[in-house]
Amino acid sequence: MVQTTARRVRHTHRPTESERRNAAAALQRALDRRDNGGSTGH
C-alpha cells in the first residue's frame, strides 16, 4: 500500500509555470470574492 502510494505520487502530473499561474490567479479571485465580496476593482 505504501509502495503504490509513493509510486503514484512520483508519477503525478507536474503543472507548468503557466498552469500554476492560472491556478494561483483563479484561487486568488475566489478568495477575493469570498473575503471582500468582490469589491477588489471589479
Side-chain angles (χ1 to χ4, degrees), residues 29 32 38-42:
R29 283 195 302 271
D32 288 345
S39 62
T40 54
H42 290 289

Side-chain angles (χ1 to χ4, degrees), residues 10-27:
R10 218 175 292 128
H11 288 289
T12 49
H13 169 68
R14 280 230 152 130
T16 63
E17 183 63 30
S18 60
E19 285 175 331
R20 292 200 304 113
R21 258 200 308 272
N22 289 341
L27 176 62

Side-chain angles (χ1 to χ4, degrees), residues 26-36:
L27 176 62
Q28 190 60 60
R29 283 195 302 271
L31 290 175
D32 288 345
R33 278 198 303 273
R34 190 190 66 188
D35 296 339
N36 303 322

